[in-house]
Amino acid sequence: MVKKKRLRLIAEMARKIRAYRELKNRPRDSQRYALDYDTMTRPFTGKKLPVLAWKDVQRETPLFTLLAGMRMFGVGRLFTRKSWLEEHTEPCYWKITKVKVDYTAENMDHGKAWGILTFKGKEESSEQEVDKVMYHDWRLVPKHEEDAFKRFEPVPEPPVRHVCYPPLLRAMILAQQAKQLGVDANSLPEPTLPLRRDVLLSREYFRSQEEKRKQEGTPV
C-alpha cells in the first residue's frame, strides 16, 4: 500500500513567502548595471570594465538611453550595433515591438525590450527578448535610411560539408533512431554532421533545448 503524502500547507506557504521576498529584494537592472564613468567600474559589483571597452563607453550609448528619448520608446524603429556594422556586410538589426521600462531608474535608461531580430539578412519568425541592452554600442537607424539599410542581395551559400560523428555520439544517435523506428541499428544509414549552424545561439535557444531534453530523456 502506497503511503499518502501529507500536504503541509504552512510549509508550502512559507516557501512561497521566501520566494516572493527573494524576488522582491533582488537588485534591479538599474542597480546591477549602473556605471561610474570616472573610474569605469560598476558600483554594485565593484568590477571594472575591460580597457578595450572604455572607448565605446565614452562614445556610444546603451539601447535604453536611445529608447528613453524617443516617442513610444522606439517601438517600430530599427536598431543595430556597432560590432555588427564592423563584422558583417549583411544587414543586422532589431525591430522593436515591445518595451518594459524600469521607471525606478533615474533617467529611465534601464528595462527590457522585445523585437524581431534580423541577423545577416535573415529575419527570425518569432518575437524575442533583446539581449545585451546594457552594451555601449547601440545605434538607431534613421527613418529615411531604413529601406536602404534593409536592402541587400543575398550571396549564394556554398554547399554544406558533412563529417562523421564521434563514436559515442554516433552510437547514441543510431540507438535513438532504432528505438523510434523499431529496426536494427545496423540497417540504418550512417549519420553525418552538417558543418553549418542554422540557429542563433541565444538564451532562448539553450532554454528550449534544455526543456526538450528533460521531456525526451536520454537516447539510451
Side-chain angles (χ1 to χ4, degrees), residues 62-184:
L63 177 61
F64 269 85
T65 303
L66 298 172
L67 294 178
M70 299 182 64
R71 180 176 176 270
M72 298 290 294
F73 290 103
V75 173
R77 298 296 300 274
L78 305 185
F79 292 86
T80 186
R81 297 177 56 188
K82 174 188 173 185
S83 56
W84 289 347
L85 297 175
E86 294 176 349
E87 296 173 3
H88 308 293
T89 57
E90 303 90 344
C92 303
Y93 56 89
W94 282 94
K95 183 175 182 180
I96 303 299
T97 57
K98 183 173 64 174
V99 176
K100 184 178 180 181
V101 183
D102 183 3
Y103 291 100
T104 63
E106 183 177 357
N107 299 317
M108 293 192 298
D109 54 354
H110 290 277
K112 294 183 179 181
W114 290 262
I116 304 296
L117 173 63
T118 300
F119 188 72
K120 299 179 71 173
K122 297 182 180 179
E123 182 178 333
E124 296 292 329
S125 58
S126 60
E127 182 183 78
Q128 304 176 27
E129 182 179 351
V130 182
D131 57 348
K132 299 180 177 62
V133 295
M134 77 294 297
Y135 281 28
H136 288 71
D137 68 341
W138 288 92
R139 294 183 178 181
L140 170 67
V141 180
K143 194 74 173 177
H144 64 280
E145 297 181 6
E146 288 184 354
D147 293 336
F149 185 79
K150 294 188 292 184
R151 190 185 310 119
F152 87 109
E153 296 182 1
V155 180
E157 297 184 359
V160 182
R161 295 174 53 197
H162 292 76
V163 296
C164 297
Y165 282 97
L168 179 59
L169 185 56
R170 171 184 174 275
M172 295 175 65
I173 293 174
L174 288 174
Q176 184 180 22
Q177 293 178 355
K179 182 179 178 181
Q180 292 176 350
L181 301 176
V183 298
D184 187 13

Side-chain angles (χ1 to χ4, degrees), residues 180-203:
Q180 292 176 350
L181 301 176
V183 298
D184 187 13
N186 296 326
S187 63
L188 294 173
E190 185 71 19
T192 57
L193 176 65
L195 298 180
R196 182 177 65 181
R197 189 176 68 187
D198 296 327
V199 296
L200 181 65
L201 300 181
S202 59
R203 288 179 296 177

